[in-house]
Structure formats: structure tokens, C-alpha cells
């Protein structure tokens, strides 16, 4: 097994543990957010291993650097220290859910096995910002511009929703 | 490719499942939003995996779109959480059950 | 356009005969029902009486045209094709031939007189004005229906009129509906009629089926008559649940139609509605239950004479039913005390005579008696109405007597009617009844026809007896009124009296339309029986010659005369000479008298056998169990309650209001769909 593969499984494990940490952490919302950061970063590492360099960079910058920070801002703004409420009223739905997901996953993988087409080799420069930039500004320029509208709308919406009432 | 595609997809599915469980189970609205982010990330991973497998940059372009949307969604979602907190002084999702029968 | 081969002329005149009264009725209907602006009394009179008068004048004109230079032709007024389906078509068209000409003249003429009479009679109505107008509306509607019936060119138009007169009969019998009993009598008439109508419909269906089988699907009379020989002898096998017997088609159809005639023309077993129909106003009794509606059955039999001529079995049934009904009703009439009831049973009896004639092949004789009966029965009913008015709505003859001094003019016209119905010459009834008896005597194709003749003679005696009994008890003898009540008795107004005079004249002279040849020979008049000659081309058997010698005919006439006189004498003896005699006879034969007086308990028997079980089934089974219980309870309310239970006790909990449950369900749904798509 190559070093890259080993790294992949390591980071994969880290991602899973971090996600579990985020979901299962009942005490502290900030701790959950921290776990989320770890998950994001490990995913970024996995992206690198999968030759998606620009995506990895953006993942770290936007997700770990902006989105989770935003989460933390809000947590601190609301001064939420501890989760005083329990997860659910009863354990049963939780266990059921986990069991169902496990089964679903197993079924899904079984389904996939052998149906995927063969892997093709990656060309030179694949995943780099040049290649991606080319694709983004030629074939996909319309979605690109559309997202700017989306962001504009989101900004306006967020401002209105979060604004302190002045009156 | 370093690892078989199935493994990448499997990882994506596991993370997605964890995200679902988090979204359905936790009562803190902020944690729910974080779980949703996790789900989106899982999907991104799948996109990247496929993109690498078939040497098609479209997958990665789409990932950029998803990240953008996720960012926007978090911004607005947290704005909603702020309004909710201001009205009810709590971020417990079970406080918003006006549509109950 | 003249169809020279068949002698048929097209015209657009005939439609106005029924449509003018329809228009009047429609105007009344709109004014009363929709616009709610009733017409003034005068307006109503002009509209309604005017419409019927116009109908009569057009009928006269059409009739005159029919008597044109080439002899009676047939005139048809085809409005449009009512039903067109493949090679079958039913036209909305009217037919004027000798039979229908006689009928429309009788209907419009007598109808008009009764309309005039009603002006005076219904004036007494203490309701508000719409009672008066409503009455004329219904009368017009009835006239329309009756004219449709007799002018119809095919069985469907005729059936339309058939049902229409049934409806109008119901409306008019129950006219004063605030009294429950009147409404009940109206219902009874309608329901019993409907039973007959079922027979009529079955007849139409079987006939049509047979005709369609030979490739000539039609319901038009002329076409049926032309094609009938092909199917008359066909054998029809009834289905197993009806006995599985084989019947000759003509007989089967004839009997089915005759059932309809029994309902409409009040023969046994469906006559029970007619006496109770007297609950309606007297003009109604005169028009519908004496002169027109009840004659529809006779008309129908004569219209289908070709069918009955080919069905000796059915004809025999008709003759015997008619004779027995005539005798049966006459025996009841001699014990009744209500003026109108006596006249009602008399009508049933006279209708029996008409069917007796028709069954024996004397269709012209039946129609002759139909016409004369229309005149003198209408006269009698209207006269009775005048008496009732004079007595301030008292109908019981037990409370009358000696009215001849108080209302002389009414008394004289009533006497004319009585003499006419009893069959004393030279009044109309003598000739028409004679012809019927002659036909019965000579009908050797009908089994037991001499017995039929005998029954006819006995009934003639009884007819004379009960009519003169009625006359004497009402107008003669010691009065049973108190002196002050007697002083209050007065003649009715002119509009009531003048129609009586006209009808009296016709009751006197109408008989000469069918002047038998035997007398014509004495007076040197060839073809003296103008009516029979007029009708001959369209009736089966043509100029029905009984094959009886002149001498025999005279002997039979004398016998009939004797019978009538015998009745008169007995009545005179019993009610004028020794008035206590009836009372004593009643005492000695009390049980027998009771049987007759209570109309043989037929109503009670029908009630126990048919009415009660039907009502019980309708109420208990059909209404409570099936309709209210099953359909309403289980199907309608049950489904509602089920859905409600499902929603309130089950589905409601889906809406927990918790976002996370909703999310969970969404995910569940998505997984299910994806799973199914990837199956």
C-alpha cells in the first residue's frame, strides 16, 4: 500500500472520529464546533490526496476559516455555554437511526460494488487552479455568475434577519 | 487513483449518515446546522472522488458551487437562529412546534 | 305535398290544436310560478277559455277539410324527428284521421263547455286568486295532454299524452290539497294509473321488438298497421320465471295494452281510483273522469283495432272484462247515496260497455258510445255540480229531495241526461247502447257472447234504475231539507247553466250521427249511420256488419227499450210510490246490501293485500334498513366517520410540530424513493 493510501485511511478515520465527536458532544457547543473544524481540515487533506488542490484550498479557507468561525461567533453572541437539554427523550430512536443508517450504508455499498466504471488516469495539471479556472470561466461561467447573485441575496437576508431592532 | 473509488464513496456515505443522525437527533439548532454542513461536505467528497475517477473537472466545479451555497445557507440560517433566540431566549428546536396538531 | 298512393296530406295546422292550450298553461305557469304576478280573473278566463275555443275551431276546420271532396283522407303534421337511431326514427308528429277527428272534436268541445262552466263553479273558491288561475292552468295542461294523446301519430307521442293526462288527473283531483284526503285520492289515482302504464310500456316494447326482428323497427301507427300481418302470428315464449308458456304475439301485446287501458279507463281490476277521484272539483270529474281521460283506453283499443282483430283471445278478454265491470259497477251504484259517487260508478259501468263493444269487434260502436257518453255524462256531472252549488256544497242525496220546485231549470237538463243514459229513445244513449248490445249479440267469435248480451241487458236495467233513483231522490218526493235551508237553494249562475243547455241539446240529438240503418231504411235515408261510415276506412273490419236481420235488430232494440223502462218503473215504484220500500228491503237483505254499499270491500282487500305490504316494505326495509341504515349510515356517514377516525386518531400525530420529525420523515421518504429507483 502506498504512502498516499495510508494517509488517506488515516485522514478518513480522523474525519469520522471528528464527525462523531461533533454529533455526540452534548456538553459544549463550542467543542462541537471545534470537532467540526477538525473534520473539515481532514476532508481538505483527503481532497489533496484526490488531486483536487484548488478545492482543498477553498475548503480550508471557506469552511474551516469562515463558516465554522461564523458558527462560533453566533455561539458566543448568544452566550451559550452548555447544552442543558438532553439529546432526545428516549434512546430508542437514536439507536434505531444508527442501526438503520448502518444497514443503509451496507446496502448502498453492496449495490455499488462492481457497478462503477473503471478509473481513468488523471491528466497533467488536473485539479489545479489553472485547469479549474479554465472550466469555471468558460463552460460554467453562468453558474459562476449566478452564485454571485445567490451570495448577494444571502448577504441581504442575513443582515435583515440579524439586525438589531432600532426603535 | 490512490484508493479504490468504492472506498471514497463509502467514506462519503458514512459521513453523510453521521450528519443525518446529528440533524435528526440533536436539539440544539446550531448543532443541527453544523450537521447539515457535514452532510454537504460528504456530498462534496463524493463529487471530488468521481471527478478524480473519471478525470472530469465538472465535479470540482460543482463542489465550488456547493461550498458557495453552503456558505450562504449558513449565513442566513444563523440569522434565523438569532431571531429565534431573540424571540424565545432559547435555541431548543422543540420550542418551535406551533404547527403541532 | 300529397302522398297520393296512401292518401296522406301534410299540413302544419294540427300542431296548433294541442299547442294553444299548452301555451295558455305555460303562460299561467310562468305567471304563477316564476314571475308571481297572477292574472286577473278576467284575464284568466280569456286566456284559458280562449285557447280551448280556438283549439275547437281549428279542430272543426280540420275536420271539415277531412270531409273534402275525395272522401276522408289522412292528414299528418310532422314537426321534427324526435328520435333518430340507426334505421329507427320516431317523429314528433300528429295524425288526423277519422278516429282522431272524432276524438278531438269531443275533447275540445266538451272541454270548452267545461271551461266555461268552471268560471262559475270555481268562483266559489275561498282561497286567494291563484286558486282560480291554477285551476285553469291545470285544465289547459290536461287539454294539451289529452289532445297529444289522441293526435299522436305514433305510440311514443301517445304515451306522452297518456302520462300527461295521468299527471293532470293527479293535480286536479288533489286540487284542494289542504285537505289531506284529496291529496290521498290524487295519489291513489296516479299510482293505480301507473300500474296500467306499466302494461302499456311492456306492450310497446314487445311490439317494437317483434317489428325490429322482421326488420321494420317503428312505433308509428300507420307503419305498424302495415307491417303487422307479418308478425301477428308469431309465437312468443315467456321466460321461465313468468311461466314459460307460448303466446301468440298479437294476444300478448293486446293484453299488455289492455292492462294500460284498464288503468286509464277504470276497468276491473284497476277501477278503484275513479270513485275516490270524486274528491276533486266537479268540473274535473266531468271533464276527466267522464268525457275525456277515461276514454283514452277505448281510443287506444280502437286505434289498435288491427291488432285486436288479429287477437281473438285478447278481444274476448276485453269483452268479458268490460261486461263484468259494467255489471259490477252498476250493482254498486244502486246503493250509493253521494251524487258524485253514483255518477262515478256509472262511468265505470258505461266504460265497460265500450270495452264490451270493442272486444266484440264493434269499434265504431264503442267510439259512438264514447261520444254520446261524453255528452250526457258531462251533462250529468255538471248538473250534479249545479245541484251541489245550489245545496251549498252538500253532496249527499240523503239530504236532498224535492228540489224540482227550487231549481227547475237544473232539474230539466238533469232529466235529459238521465233519460239519455238510460237509453230511452230518441235520446243519444238509446242508439249507442243499442249498437253495443247488437254487436255483442252477433259476436259469434267471442265465446259465450249470448251471456255477454245478457249481462249487457241486465246492466241496462240497473243503469236506468240507479239513474232514475238518483233523479227522483234528488228532485222529487218529500224534501229532507229543513224549510229554511230549502229557501236558500237557488239556481246557479249563467256561466254554469249555459253549458248545461248546450250539452242537453247534444245529448238529445247526437244519437242521430249513428242512426242505425234499420231505421234509416224506414225513413228512406241511405247510409244513415254516418259515424260508422266515416270511421270505416280506418277501423279493422271496416263497416262492421253484424249479420243480423232487420227483424232481429228491431226485436233486440225493443228488448233494450223494455229493460230501460223496467228500470224506470222500479225506480219510480221504490222512490216515489212507496218510499219506505227500499228501507224495508235493505233491512231484510242487510248483508247483501252491505256488500254492495261497501263496494264489495274491494278497497279494503287491496289495502290489505297490496297497499299495506308495500308500505311496510318501503318503510321498514327500503327506507329504514337500506336507505337510512345502509346507504346513509354505512356508506355516507360511515365513510365520513371512518375518515374522521383515521385522521383524528391516527394521522393527526404525524403533525407533531417538531422540525426534526419532519426532517426524519423527509429523509425516510427520500431513501424510499431512491431505493425504489435503484431497485
Amino acid at each position: 500500500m502506498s504512502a498516499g493510501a495510508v494517509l488517506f485511511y488515516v485522514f478518513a478515520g480522523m474525519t469520522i472520529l471528528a464527525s462523531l465527536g461533533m454529533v455526540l458532544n452534548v456538553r459544549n457547543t463550542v467543542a462541537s464546533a471545534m470537532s467540526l473544524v477538525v473534520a473539515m481540515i481532514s476532508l481538505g487533506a483527503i481532497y489533496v490526496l484526490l488531486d483536487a488542490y484548488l478545492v482543498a484550498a477553498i475548503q480550508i479557507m471557506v469552511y474551516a476559516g469562515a463558516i465554522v468561525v461564523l458558527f462560533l461567533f453566533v455561539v458566543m453572541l448568544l452566550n451559550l455555554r452548555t447544552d442543558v437539554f438532553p439529546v432526545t427523550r428516549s434512546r430508542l430512536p437514536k439507536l434505531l437511526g444508527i442501526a438503520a443508517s448502518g444497514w443503509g450504508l451496507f446496502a448502498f455499498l453492496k449495490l455499488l460494488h462492481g457497478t462503477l466504471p473503471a478509473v481513468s488516469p488523471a491528466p497533467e495539471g488536473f485539479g489545479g487552479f489553472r485547469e479549474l479556472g479554465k472550466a469555471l470561466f468558460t463552460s460554467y461561467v453562468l453558474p459562476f455568475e449566478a452564485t454571485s447573485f445567490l451570495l448577494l441575496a444571502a448577504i441581504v437576508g442575513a443582515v435583515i434577519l440579524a439586525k438589531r431592532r432600532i426603535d | 487513483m490512490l484508493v479504490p473509488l468504492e472506498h471514497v464513496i463509502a467514506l462519503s456515505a458514512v459521513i453523510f449518515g453521521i450528519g443525518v443522525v446529528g440533524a435528526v437527533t440533536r436539539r440544539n439548532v446550531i448543532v443541527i446546522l453544523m450537521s447539515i454542513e457535514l452532510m454537504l461536505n460528504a456530498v462534496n467528497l463524493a463529487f471530488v472522488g468521481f471527478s478524480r475517477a473519471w478525470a472530469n473537472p465538472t465535479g470540482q466545479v460543482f463542489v465550488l458551487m456547493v461550498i458557495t451555497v453552503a456558505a450562504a445557507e449558513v449565513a442566513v440560517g444563523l440569522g434565523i437562529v438569532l431571531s429565534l433566540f431573540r424571540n424565545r431566549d432559547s435555541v431548543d428546536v422543540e420550542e418551535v412546534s406551533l404547527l403541532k396538531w | 305535398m300529397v302522398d297520393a298512393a296512401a292518401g296522406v296530406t301534410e299540413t302544419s295546422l294540427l300542431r296548433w290544436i294541442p299547442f294553444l292550450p299548452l301555451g295558455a298553461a305555460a303562460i299561467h305557469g310562468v305567471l304563477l310560478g316564476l314571475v308571481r304576478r297572477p292574472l286577473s280573473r278576467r284575464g284568466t278566463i280569456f286566456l284559458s277559455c280562449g285557447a280551448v275555443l280556438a283549439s275547437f275551431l281549428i279542430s272543426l276546420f280540420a275536420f271539415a277539410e277531412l270531409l273534402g271532396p275525395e272522401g276522408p283522407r289522412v292528414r299528418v303534421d310532422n314537426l321534427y324527428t324526435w328520435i333518430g337511431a340507426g334505421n329507427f326514427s320516431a317523429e314528433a308528429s300528429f295524425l288526423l284521421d277519422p278516429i282522431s277527428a272524432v276524438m278531438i272534436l269531443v275533447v275540445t268541445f266538451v272541454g270548452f263547455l267545461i271551461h266555461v262552466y268552471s268560471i262559475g263553479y270555481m268562483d266559489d273558491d275561498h282561497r286567494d286568486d291563484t286558486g282560480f288561475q291554477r285551476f285553469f292552468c291545470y285544465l289547459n295542461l290536461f287539454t294539451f295532454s289529452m289532445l297529444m294523446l289522441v293526435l299522436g301519430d305514433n305510440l311514443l307521442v301517445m304515451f306522452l299524452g297518456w302520462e300527461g293526462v295521468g299527471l293532470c288527473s293527479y293535480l286536479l283531483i288533489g286540487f284542494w290539497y289542504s285537505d289531506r284526503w284529496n291529496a290521498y285520492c290524487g295519489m291513489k289515482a296516479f299510482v293505480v294509473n301507473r300500474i296500467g302504464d306499466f302494461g302499456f310500456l311492456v306492450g310497446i316494447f314487445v311490439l317494437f321488438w317483434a317489428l325490429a326482428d322482421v326488420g321494420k323497427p317503428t312505433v308509428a301507427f300507420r307503419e305498424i298497421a302495415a307491417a303487422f300481418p307479418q308478425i301477428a302470428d308469431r309465437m312468443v315464449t315467456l321466460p321461465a320465471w313468468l311461466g314459460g308458456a307460448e303466446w301468440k304475439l298479437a294476444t300478448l301485446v293486446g293484453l299488455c295494452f289492455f292492462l294500460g287501458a284498464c288503468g286509464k279507463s277504470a276497468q276491473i281490476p284497476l277501477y278503484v281510483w275513479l270513485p275516490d277521484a270524486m274528491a276533486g272539483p266537479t268540473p274535473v270529474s266531468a271533464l276527466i273522469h267522464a268525457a275525456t281521460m277515461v276514454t283514452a283506453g277505448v281510443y287506444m283499443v280502437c286505434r289498435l283495432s288491427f291488432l285486436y282483430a288479429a287477437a281473438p283471445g285478447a278481444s274476448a278478454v276485453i269483452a268479458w272484462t268490460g261486461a263484468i265491470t259494467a255489471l259490477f259497477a252498476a250493482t254498486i251504484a244502486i246503493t250509493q247515496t253521494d251524487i258524485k259517487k253514483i255518477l262515478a260508478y256509472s262511468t265505470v259501468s258505461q266504460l265497460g260497455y265500450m270495452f264490451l263493444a270493442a272486444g266484440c269487434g264493434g269499434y265504431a260502436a264503442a267510439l259512438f258510445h264514447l261520444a254520446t257518453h261524453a255528452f250526457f255524462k258531462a251533462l250529468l256531472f255538471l248538473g250534479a255540480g249545479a245541484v251541489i252549488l245550489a245545496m251549498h256544497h252538500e253532496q249527499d242525496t240523503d239530504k236532498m229531495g224535492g228540489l224540482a220546485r227550487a231549481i227547475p231549470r237544473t232539474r230539466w237538463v238533469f232529466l235529459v241526461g238521465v233519460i239519455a243514459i238510460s237509453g230511452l229513445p230518441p235520446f243519444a244513449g238509446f242508439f249507442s247502447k243499442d249498437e253495443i248490445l247488437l254487436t255483442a249479440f252477433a259476436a259469434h267469435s267471442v265465446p259465450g257472447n249470448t251471456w255477454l248480451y245478457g249481462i249487457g241487458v241486465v246492466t241496462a236495467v240497473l243503469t236506468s234504475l240507479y239513474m232514475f233513483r238518483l233523479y227522483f231522490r234528488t228532485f222529487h218526493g218529500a224534501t229532507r231539507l229543513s224549510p229554511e235551508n230549502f229557501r236558500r237553494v237557488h239556481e246557479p249562475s249563467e256561466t254554469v247553466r249555459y253549458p248545461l243547455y248546450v250539452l242537453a241539446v247534444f245529448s238529445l240529438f247526437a244519437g242521430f250521427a249513428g242512426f242505425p240503418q234499420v231505421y234509416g231504411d224506414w225513413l228512406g235515408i241511405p247510409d244513415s249511420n254516418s259515424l260508422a261510415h266515416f270511421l270505416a276506412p280506418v277501423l279493422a273490419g271496416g263497416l262492421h256488419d253484424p249479420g243480423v236481420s232487420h227483424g232481429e235488430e228491431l226485436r233486440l232494440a225493443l228488448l233494450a227499450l223494455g229493460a230501460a223502462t223496467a228500470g224506470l218503473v222500479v225506480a219510480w215504484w221504490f222512490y216515489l210510490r212507496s218510499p219506505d220500500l227500499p228501507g224495508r228491503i235493505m233491512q231484510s237483505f242487510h248483508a247483501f246490501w252491505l256488500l254492495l254499499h261497501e263496494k264489495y270491500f274491494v278497497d279494503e282487500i287491496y289495502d290489505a293485500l297490496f297497499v299495506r305490504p308495500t308500505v311496510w316494505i318501503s318503510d321498514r326495509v327500503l327506507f329504514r334498513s337500506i336507505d337510512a341504515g345502509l346507504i346513509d349510515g354505512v356508506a355516507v356517514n360511515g365513510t365520513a366517520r371512518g375518515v374522521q377516525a383515521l385522521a383524528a386518531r391516527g394521522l393527526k400525530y404525524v403533525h407533531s410540530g417538531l422540525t426534526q420529525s419532519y426532517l426524519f420523515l423527509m429523509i425516510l421518504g427520500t431513501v424510499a424513493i431512491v431505493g425504489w429507483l435503484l431497485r
Side-chain angles (χ1 to χ4, degrees), chain C residues 160-236:
Chain C
L160 202 143
W162 191 271
E163 293 294 315
V165 293
L167 169 72
C168 294
S169 174
Y170 159 76
L171 290 172
L172 285 164
I173 293 174
F175 184 72
W176 292 312
Y177 55 80
S178 53
D179 183 352
R180 259 271 188 97
W181 177 252
N182 298 339
Y184 170 74
C185 291
M187 268 203 298
K188 182 172 177 177
F190 194 75
V191 170
V192 177
N193 246 219
R194 279 310 250 160
I195 299 174
D197 293 348
F198 167 71
F200 194 100
L201 273 174
V202 171
I204 296 183
F205 294 152
V206 175
L207 187 60
F208 182 74
W209 164 78
L211 285 167
D213 233 18
V214 294
K216 287 197 184 349
T218 174
V219 284
F221 291 126
R222 289 169 288 143
E223 290 170 31
I224 297 178
F228 196 71
Q230 294 176 29
I231 57 167
D233 290 317
R234 185 187 167 133
M235 300 305 283
V236 177

Side-chain angles (χ1 to χ4, degrees), chain C residues 8 22 28 36 73 139 141 178 181 186 228 280 314 330 372 448 510 521 602 634:
Chain C
V8 177
L22 175 65
H28 283 309
R36 296 197 193 267
R73 256 175 285 142
L139 273 189
L141 192 64
S178 53
W181 177 252
F228 196 71
T372 58
D521 284 342
V602 171
V634 174

